[in-house]
DNA sequence: AGCTAAGTTGACGTCGACGTCAATGTCAAC
DNA sequence: GTTGACATTGACGTCGACGTCAACTTAGCT
């Protein structure tokens, strides 16, 4: 069975190509005027409200237009479809969140990182601290954007473009973590024969998967304990163990 | 922000309650006749084919009827809606898969388990072996049912009943793992101060999350290496470490 | 054979979301 | 202040999926 996923057709949302063939030019271009730019922003903001409230599938273009305070027809001046506006919204927001995570976590531990080793940062204890910070930050970010994360997942299941965004986002996170693991291996703090790539993927899956279960699937967790346990498992699994064995 | 998820309305699929109020009795009852039972089976099988081929959203009741070789109207003799048939299909299949996993893995390691400790099973090495077996089995199961797993996720994002199924499935797995961790703690093989519940959740998230990324989101992995890395991280994180530190 | 309850059929009406478009409005430049 | 490009408006036609239902078939029982 080839890597599959149901409903992955080319177009956009739930794929049902309109029978009528006449394809109107989808606004790929950004607005010309200043007024246009503002209208586009209003629609994006409205889209966010409506999507988060109703979910992608139940959201209607009419609702978005109404929320934005513009006529139904105006929507199509800026976006070709519900799916198009969602993609735009997601792309914009994800870039924001990416920055959020980057700020405040130097190179190393977990779903974050990006600076040269600040020197004197080469102890296991320091690494553990960095992992914890990154995890806490990630969890907080997810908590503050739960609705959007749920939407992201939802649309990923049927829109190829959004799926690509998801893969990209994941690879970015994994890349950072892999880099951090390789660094620790270079420093002799992590076993050299550990597969950094696979491990990074696994650890990222652990954190994002559990947080998803907590916030989106409504699991019963306490944030601090969650961060603590994730950090402990993360670091112990890499052999940065503060708790040797028993 | 309360545990949210978009599009979570009561009804079924993408929530759009038919304006007309007259609710016809949804077939909650199972077929009376033998013929009826067989027809229901055929529809279920057809539903699986169509769902896996087109995804839940693009699947039409008409397609399912056609695939089953029955008239459009007959569908409604057995199921009240597309969502209803999907729920039935999923419930049935999940029970099957649950058994699949249970068989062949005694109490302990990973996403499986259920027997009394066979005695002489109390070494760390044995525990590691059990975790590996369970992981390998889980990965294989997922690989052989990728399409269905993708569908499960898809429908979870908007159908509350399916979401409940997902939560239940997750809790079952977590319960087994937690039990196994507690066992290992009793045996002094795992640190007693580790939170077994949270850890079980995290480890299950790691395995299912990574496998999901591999098979559904089409990541680039090699199965054996995947199982090996997952097992290594799993066991090391619990302190069953075959690889002490470096 | 005749009766009845269960099941089958497929044509039909309904409904809601979409995307269009002709008329109208806005604004900046000349 | 006139012009023209760009944007707004909202009523309208289209379309496809759904669920219904009245007529018909099947099969078990007496």
């Amino acid at each position: 069975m080839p890597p599959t996923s149901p409903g992955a057709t080319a177009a956009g949302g739930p794929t049902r190509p309109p029978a009528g063939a006449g394809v109107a030019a989808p606004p790929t271009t950004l607005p010309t005027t200043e007024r246009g730019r503002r209208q586009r922003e209003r629609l994006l903001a409205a889209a966010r409200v409506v999507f988060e409230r109703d979910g992608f599938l139940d959201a209607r273009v009419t609702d978005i237009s109404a929320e934005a305070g513009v006529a139904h027809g105006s929507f199509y001046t800026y976006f070709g479809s519900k799916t198009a506006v969602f993609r735009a919204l997601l792309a914009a927001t994800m870039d924001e969140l990416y920055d959020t995570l980057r700020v405040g976590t130097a190179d190393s531990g977990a779903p974050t990182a990006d600076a040269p080793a600040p020197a004197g940062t080469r102890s296991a204890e320091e690494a553990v601290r960095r992992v914890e910070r990154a995890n806490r930050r990630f969890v907080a970010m997810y908590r503050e954007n739960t609705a959007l994360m749920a939407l992201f997942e939802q649309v990923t299941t049927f829109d190829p473009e959004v799926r690509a965004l998801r893969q990209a986002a994941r690879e970015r996170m994994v890349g950072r973590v892999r880099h951090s693991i390789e660094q620790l291996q270079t420093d002799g703090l992590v076993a050299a024969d550990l597969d950094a790539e696979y491990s990074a993927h696994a650890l990222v899956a652990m954190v994002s998967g559990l947080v998803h279960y907590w916030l989106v699937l409504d699991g019963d967790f306490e944030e601090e304990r969650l961060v603590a346990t994730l950090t402990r498992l993360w670091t112990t699994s890499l052999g940065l163990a503060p708790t040797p064995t028993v």
Side-chain angles (χ1 to χ4, degrees), chain A residues 30-42 78:
Chain A
L30 286 174
T32 323
T33 4
E34 172 60 22
R35 175 170 59 146
R37 218 192 42 73
R38 276 207 318 273
Q39 281 289 59
R40 208 186 112 100
E41 288 308 316
R42 298 186 60 180
Y78 300 98

Side-chain angles (χ1 to χ4, degrees), chain A residues 84-179:
Chain A
V85 71
F86 182 78
R87 286 181 192 140
L89 174 64
L90 196 66
T93 313
M94 288 310 284
D95 283 346
E96 249 179 59
L97 297 186
Y98 181 73
D99 290 342
T100 294
L101 284 188
R102 177 145 57 182
V103 173
T105 309
D107 166 299
S108 193
T112 338
D114 240 343
T121 322
R122 311 226 160 226
S123 75
E125 293 73 23
E126 180 55 29
V128 171
R129 245 170 283 140
R130 273 193 250 109
V131 171
E132 169 149 16
R133 252 215 323 240
N135 281 338
R136 176 167 289 116
R137 197 172 278 275
F138 178 81
V139 170
M141 179 277 278
Y142 210 107
R143 173 169 42 71
E144 285 159 8
N145 294 275
T146 301
L148 197 81
M149 294 295 115
L151 285 165
F152 196 179
E153 183 199 13
Q154 178 170 56
V155 180
T156 294
T157 67
F158 55 76
D159 182 274
E161 285 196 36
V162 170
R163 167 178 328 198
L165 284 179
R166 195 174 191 69
Q167 287 164 334
R170 176 67 75 110
E171 295 294 342
R172 277 194 297 203
M173 279 182 59
V174 168
R176 292 203 201 114
V177 173
R178 191 198 55 232
H179 179 75

Side-chain angles (χ1 to χ4, degrees), chain A residues 184-195:
Chain A
L184 292 167
Q185 286 176 322
T186 299
D187 296 350
L189 293 171
V190 166
D193 66 328
L194 185 70
D195 187 316

Side-chain angles (χ1 to χ4, degrees), chain A residues 202-233:
Chain A
L203 292 174
V204 167
M206 174 175 80
V207 173
S208 62
L210 185 50
V211 175
H212 170 269
Y213 188 75
W214 170 36
L215 294 168
V216 176
L217 290 189
D218 199 12
D220 182 25
F221 295 92
E222 194 278 305
E223 183 161 356
E224 269 310 309
R225 197 171 190 75
L226 191 88
V227 171
T229 304
L230 284 173
T231 301
R232 177 166 174 180
L233 290 175

